[in-house]
Amino acid sequence: MNIDSIQNGIVIDHIRAGCGMQLYDLLKLGELDVSVAIIKNVTSHKMGKKDIIKIDADIPVDLDVIGFVDPDATINVIRNGVLVEKKTLALPEKLTNVLKCKNPRCITSCEQELPHVFKLADRAQRLYRCIYCETKA
Ligand code: ZN
């Protein structure tokens, strides 16, 4: 794919440098049958360095996951070569099946079918806790 000219797809911009791969993994982009480009350490006037992810397909992306990894990232939706939508993010109040509780005695480790849910406990510290056992993420 020509990474500069996506016709229909999503560009996740202004990702904190070094977070691109984590986002790629958490969004499970490697499991999709679409072209994805991660561009690392791009020079940015605003941020010094940043990462960018370009997805060459108009697929739904989990905004909560992106907001969790980097609430300052921006999402550009491109259709027919034109930027049609810009989305900004915030730290999500709740994360479902993004993180796994590490407490071996948590109910989620014996009840496999339970969703792993974390709630934002402290916005300033970006602290999440398991809703079942309160363990920190
Ligand atoms: Zn737990």
Side-chain angles (χ1 to χ4, degrees), residues 42-58:
V42 180
T43 308
S44 156
H45 291 299
K46 228 164 58 181
M47 309 167 62
K49 297 262 190 236
K50 65 177 181 180
D51 291 353
I52 301 172
I53 294 178
K54 297 192 179 192
I55 306 166
D56 200 11
D58 196 357

Side-chain angles (χ1 to χ4, degrees), residues 6 77 79 81 122-123 125:
I6 283 181
V77 182
R79 277 190 202 117
D122 189 319
R123 189 168 285 275
Q125 292 183 45

Side-chain angles (χ1 to χ4, degrees), residues 66-116:
I66 304 170
F68 165 67
V69 174
D70 189 352
D72 299 320
T74 51
I75 304 191
N76 303 305
V77 182
I78 293 152
R79 277 190 202 117
N80 300 315
V82 180
L83 175 66
V84 292
E85 200 180 347
K86 238 180 180 1
K87 293 181 188 169
T88 50
L89 300 159
L91 269 186
E93 287 293 332
K94 213 165 89 176
L95 285 168
T96 304
N97 290 328
V98 178
L99 306 167
K100 282 199 152 63
C101 184
K102 292 192 182 86
N103 176 4
R105 280 182 297 178
C106 179
I107 188 162
T108 55
S109 55
C110 35
E111 308 256 336
Q112 302 288 331
E113 69 282 1
L114 269 184
H116 288 249

